[in-house]
Every structure is written in structure tokens, then in C-alpha cells.
């Protein structure tokens, strides 16, 4: 009994410490978010420079000249364990053929990545990207659709599916209604629609977009070539 109480005491103290740490982060984030300047502005890149850096990385990937893995250890030594300073945020599909960091030749600490089937915008995704843009200061959010997307394909087919897979369909249906049943066209329309949703459904994102400090773009990743094209 004594031991049990002792353990409970230790756990509860650890929980309190953990809670205090979390509250500290949340409080800090709130302070940054409520300031007039967007972000912690931890990267000095402009939105277009951030986009160029991503696309330059993709060019290295396409040409087989990846460099990111050479720098991992150095970056770790520079202290990414203590902080993160991503220069871009990416919303991509969960598809295993879209490894975002590799596609853009980036390593630890550079890209804030949210992945969900169909690269759809949900409240949780908005909240995550708001954290990336407003708190961490990424000047760019790129919504990345990809060739052969199963979520878009399934939405076009509109057939019964196991579990809660069909809960994805309503998010993607506007793209199918706009682009029709041609898969690539629907995938591209979906990426553009999700980017529009981010621009319009979150004041925390639309304000820096209007101020020119945040860019929200859509792009298409072609599986066969590895090339990312802006939409
Ligand atoms: Zn997909």
C-alpha cells in the first residue's frame, strides 16, 4: 500500500511536471499567435523563396542528386532536439509513394508535414497548419496532390468501403464535381480546392496571406518522374 501510494505520488508528480511543460508551450504559442507580427519568424525566407527552396530540392530529387541525408548528423548536432525552424509546411496524402522530405530533398527540422488520405482539410489539419504557420513561422503552405491518389479514385467510384473510409469522400467530392471523373484532373482540382479552403476557412491563415507574409499554394506530384508541378 505504501509502495502503491509512493508510485502514485511519483506518477502524479511526473504528470504535473509534464502538464506544466505542455502549458508552458501552449502559453508561449498563444503569446506568439496573439502578437501582430505573424509567427516566430524563425526563417528569414520570404514565401516565394521558401517555395523556390522546396522546388530546388525537388529538382535534386528528380535528377538523382539528393543531398539531405548528408547533413542529418550535422543538423542534429546544431540542436534540432531543442527547437524547430521549418521553412515550409506541406499538406500531403498519406500515400506511401509520397515521402515528402525525400521528394523535396529535406532532412530533419526543415519541413512541417501534415499527411492525411486525400490531402484534405479538416479542423485538425487546419489547427496543425496554423501551428506551423502562425507559431513556427513557416511562410509557405504547399498542398500536394499526387498521381494515382486512391482517395480521389475511391471518391470518383463512390462505392461502399470498409470502416470509415467513406468519411473521406465528402471532402473530395467538390473536386470530382468540378473536374469530372478524370482522375488526374480531379486530383489537381482537389489540391487547389483544399488550398482554397485553407486560405478562406481560417482567419489565422488568411490574415498573413493577405499581408503577404504567408503563401498557400497547390501542387501535383507525378509518381513516375518524381516531379512536382505548381497548379
Ligand atoms: Zn493519395
Amino acid at each position: 500500500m505504501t509502495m502503491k501510494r509512493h508510485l502514485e505520488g511519483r506518477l502524479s508528480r511526473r504528470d504535473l511536471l509534464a502538464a506544466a511543460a505542455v502549458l508552458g508551450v501552449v502559453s508561449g504559442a498563444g503569446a506568439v499567435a496573439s502578437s501582430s507580427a505573424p509567427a516566430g519568424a524563425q526563417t528569414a525566407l520570404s514565401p516565394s523563396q521558401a517555395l523556390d527552396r522546396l522546388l530546388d530540392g525537388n529538382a535534386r530529387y528528380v535528377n538523382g542528386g539528393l543531398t539531405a541525408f548528408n547533413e542529418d548528423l550535422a543538423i542534429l548536432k546544431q540542436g534540432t532536439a531543442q527547437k524547430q525552424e521549418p521553412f515550409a509546411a506541406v499538406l500531403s496524402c498519406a500515400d506511401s509513394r509520397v515521402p515528402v522530405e525525400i521528394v523535396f530533398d529535406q532532412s530533419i527540422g526543415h519541413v512541417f508535414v501534415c499527411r492525411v488520405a486525400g490531402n484534405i482539410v479538416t479542423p485538425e489539419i487546419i489547427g496543425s497548419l496554423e501551428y506551423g504557420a502562425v507559431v513556427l513561422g513557416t511562410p509557405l503552405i504547399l498542398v500536394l496532390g499526387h498521381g494515382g491518389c486512391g482517395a480521389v479514385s475511391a471518391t470518383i467510384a463512390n462505392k461502399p468501403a470498409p470502416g470509415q473510409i467513406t468519411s473521406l469522400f465528402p471532402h473530395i467530392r467538390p473536386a470530382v464535381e468540378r473536374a469530372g471523373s478524370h482522375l488526374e484532373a480531379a486530383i489537381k482540382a482537389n489540391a487547389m480546392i483544399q488550398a482554397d479552403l485553407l486560405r478562406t476557412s481560417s482567419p489565422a491563415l488568411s490574415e498573413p496571406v493577405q499581408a503577404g507574409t504567408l503563401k498557400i499554394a497547390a501542387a501535383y506530384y507525378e509518381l513516375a518522374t518524381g516531379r512536382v508541378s505548381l497548379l
Side-chain angles (χ1 to χ4, degrees):
M1 190 63 180
T2 306
M3 177 59 78
K4 183 169 183 283
R5 192 174 297 149
H6 178 63
L7 282 173
E8 282 172 349
R10 283 183 62 193
L11 281 174
S12 128
R13 195 164 146 206
R14 281 174 61 187
D15 289 346
L16 277 174
L17 286 171
V22 169
L23 283 172
V25 169
V26 170
S27 159
V32 174
S34 63
S35 74
S36 57
Q42 291 163 335
T43 175
L45 296 182
S46 69
S48 60
Q49 286 172 328
L51 184 57
D52 285 347
R53 182 173 287 191
L54 273 188
L55 295 178
D56 286 349
N58 178 246
R60 292 193 298 275
Y61 171 68
V62 169
N63 296 323
L66 291 171
T67 61
F69 290 113
N70 301 337
E71 55 179 288
D72 279 9
L73 277 178
I75 287 174
L76 280 172
K77 286 174 183 168
Q78 286 163 19
T80 49
Q82 304 301 323
K83 60 179 179 178
Q84 57 170 326
E85 300 174 337
F87 71 87
V90 176
L91 169 58
S92 82
C93 184
D95 193 298
S96 64
R97 300 164 296 177
V98 192
V100 174
E101 282 87 349
I102 296 175
V103 165
F104 293 110
D105 190 27
Q106 301 297 324
S107 69
I108 297 165
H110 294 322
V111 187
F112 187 89
V113 182
C114 296
R115 297 182 65 167
V116 60
N119 41 270
I120 57 174
V121 168
T122 68
E124 296 83 358
I125 292 290
I126 291 176
S128 301
L129 290 169
E130 286 174 343
Y131 184 81
V134 180
V135 179
L136 299 178
T138 61
L140 172 71
I141 297 174
L142 186 66
V143 180
L144 186 63
H146 70 95
C149 184
V152 176
S153 177
T155 304
I156 291 172
N158 197 27
K159 292 177 179 168
Q164 300 184 43
I165 294 174
T166 55
S167 69
L168 301 168
F169 297 176
H171 296 275
I172 301 171
R173 198 159 288 132
V176 177
E177 287 168 0
R178 180 186 293 182
S181 58
H182 185 275
L183 181 56
E184 183 174 324
I187 290 166
K188 290 178 175 175
N190 182 53
M192 289 188 282
I193 286 171
Q194 303 304 330
D196 272 341
L197 270 176
L198 287 175
R199 289 188 200 102
T200 56
S201 60
S202 160
L205 297 180
S206 61
E207 286 171 12
V209 166
Q210 284 167 12
T213 55
L214 173 67
K215 181 181 182 68
I216 300 178
Y220 178 77
Y221 173 66
E222 191 176 63
L223 294 180
T225 63
R227 193 176 304 281
V228 171
S229 310
L230 292 178
L231 298 172

